[in-house]
Amino acid sequence: MLGTFLIGLREGLEAALIVGILIAYARKLDRTDVVVRIWLGVGVAIGVSLAVGAILTFGAYGLSFQAQEVIGGSLSLLAVVMVTWMIMWMARASRSMSGELRGRLDAVIGGTGWGIVAVALLSVGREGIETALFIWATTRATGTGALLGFLAAIAGILLAAVLGWAISRGLLRIGLSRFFRWSGAILVVFTAGVLAYAIHDLQEAAVLPGPFAPVPPEPAPSSHPGTGNPPGRSSSRT
């Protein structure tokens, strides 16, 4: 549960900071009408993230064991790649994130408004999909129930929302670079566990060789003329 809580907290704080930057910049430009569109994009992103989580959790039912292991191992590898990229990207881009988001908003704020929805949707949706995928992979790797993992992640996201609100209001000051650095270091440990579980799944599905790969069936013994009796005929003489 610690892994899902931490990923919810980290990704939730990233999303909260993104939304806070977009809204603050729109208000600075005296475009309060844009704020509603930003929240619309955030709402769509949350809906897409929940849909992805539901598909990951319930979509594999009815498939064969091998298909489930192939899908589980492949998606777990994808989760490892996405979280590793997220950790590295945040370490580099945390200082320039505000300017990058403002540049995107400047490019679309004078249009019809759908571009603003797209900025919020893509910015927050990326965090949401990463969260859904890594929570799913972590609960599989650790044996945590899907409901417990989901509740732990929700607790992390709610805490992140409170922290993001406090930071945007100037009520709280934390070293974001230090927070993301240390949380990233802890997530590396959970990522290693997910990677090991992904390899285990792919070995069980006979995609990768290894100690967990299924043992091929032994060939049936063949009978040769003159060395035994034909099947179904008794060896006793009358």
Side-chain angles (χ1 to χ4, degrees), residues 130-189:
E130 285 178 359
T131 302
L133 184 57
F134 194 71
I135 288 172
W136 175 82
T138 303
T139 52
R140 280 175 53 90
T142 59
T144 306
L147 180 59
L148 288 178
F150 177 74
L151 291 177
I154 290 297
I157 292 171
L158 291 176
L159 177 58
V162 173
L163 292 176
W165 175 83
I167 292 172
S168 65
R169 294 292 181 177
L171 303 176
L172 178 66
R173 290 185 177 274
I174 62 175
L176 292 177
S177 298
R178 181 177 299 177
F179 167 79
F180 287 119
R181 182 170 61 250
W182 282 105
S183 62
I186 299 173
L187 279 177
V188 167
V189 177

Side-chain angles (χ1 to χ4, degrees), residues 22 38 40-46 48 116-127:
L22 291 175
I38 292 173
L40 175 61
V42 171
V44 174
I46 293 174
V48 170
I116 299 168
V117 175
V119 170
L121 171 61
L122 295 176
S123 300
V124 178
R126 183 191 63 191
E127 310 295 338

Side-chain angles (χ1 to χ4, degrees), residues 43-90:
V44 174
I46 293 174
V48 170
S49 302
L50 291 174
V52 170
I55 292 172
L56 291 173
T57 303
F58 304 108
Y61 290 128
L63 298 176
S64 66
F65 172 78
Q66 185 178 19
Q68 291 186 33
E69 296 302 285
V70 170
I71 293 174
S74 301
L75 291 178
S76 295
L77 285 178
L78 178 61
V80 169
V81 171
M82 291 182 68
V83 172
T84 302
W85 175 85
M86 175 265 295
I87 293 172
M88 297 175 63
W89 176 83
M90 200 61 191

